[in-house]
C-alpha cells in the first residue's frame, strides 16, 4: 500500500543554477573570480577578490580583507585577471570580425 503522505522531492535538475565565474585564478591563499555579464548586447567583466583562511574548527572561509603581506600577491593576481579579460575581449573581437568577413 502506498504511503498516505510522500514529501515533495527536491529536484536539483529543476533548481536554477547559481551563476559561476568564467575563470577563477589562485595565487597562494588569494583568489580572483572573473565574472562575465551582458548588457545592451555587449559583454563586460567584473572581478572579485578573496583570501581563504581556516578558523579554529579547521573550516575554510573566504574574506575580502587583506593584510600587508597579501598586497603584492593581490596586485599580481589582479594583473593576471586583467590579462585574462583583455585576451578574452580580443578573442571575441576576432570572432566577430571573422564572422563579418565570411558574409
Amino acid at each position: 500500500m502506498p504511503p498516505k503522505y510522500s514529501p515533495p522531492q527536491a529536484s536539483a535538475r529543476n533548481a536554477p543554477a547559481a551563476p559561476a565565474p568564467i575563470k577563477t585564478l589562485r595565487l597562494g591563499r588569494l583568489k580572483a573570480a572573473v565574472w562575465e555579464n551582458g548588457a545592451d548586447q555587449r559583454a563586460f567583466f567584473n572581478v572579485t577578490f578573496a583570501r581563504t583562511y581556516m578558523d579554529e574548527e579547521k573550516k575554510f572561509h573566504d574574506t575580502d580583507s587583506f593584510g600587508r603581506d597579501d598586497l603584492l600577491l593581490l596586485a599580481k593576481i589582479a594583473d593576471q585577471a586583467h590579462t585574462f579579460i583583455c585576451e578574452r575581449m580580443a578573442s571575441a573581437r576576432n570572432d566577430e570580425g571573422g564572422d563579418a568577413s565570411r558574409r
Side-chain angles (χ1 to χ4, degrees):
M1 174 159 39
K4 292 182 181 179
Y5 171 77
S6 20
Q9 296 179 350
S11 173
R13 289 180 279 167
N14 294 340
I22 59 170
K23 180 78 170 178
T24 300
L25 303 162
R26 295 182 183 274
L27 194 56
R29 56 190 191 154
L30 302 184
K31 62 183 172 182
V34 180
W35 304 84
E36 184 174 11
N37 299 297
D40 299 326
Q41 298 160 1
R42 187 177 139 236
F44 64 94
F45 300 88
N46 291 316
V47 182
T48 56
F49 298 96
R51 178 177 53 86
T52 302
Y53 69 95
M54 187 182 295
D55 67 11
E56 300 83 26
E57 297 172 356
K58 305 290 186 199
K59 293 182 182 176
F60 287 102
H61 301 278
D62 286 339
T63 182
D64 59 0
S65 176
F66 303 94
R68 181 200 68 203
D69 294 339
D70 299 322
L71 296 179
L72 290 177
L73 290 176
L74 186 61
K76 288 179 186 245
I77 202 166
D79 180 48
Q80 292 175 5
H82 179 263
T83 300
F84 172 79
I85 292 169
C86 290
E87 289 172 351
R88 179 100 176 195
M89 292 174 69
S91 175
R93 278 193 300 270
N94 289 339
D95 290 346
E96 288 174 4
D99 291 342
S101 65
R102 285 188 236 148
R103 291 181 194 164

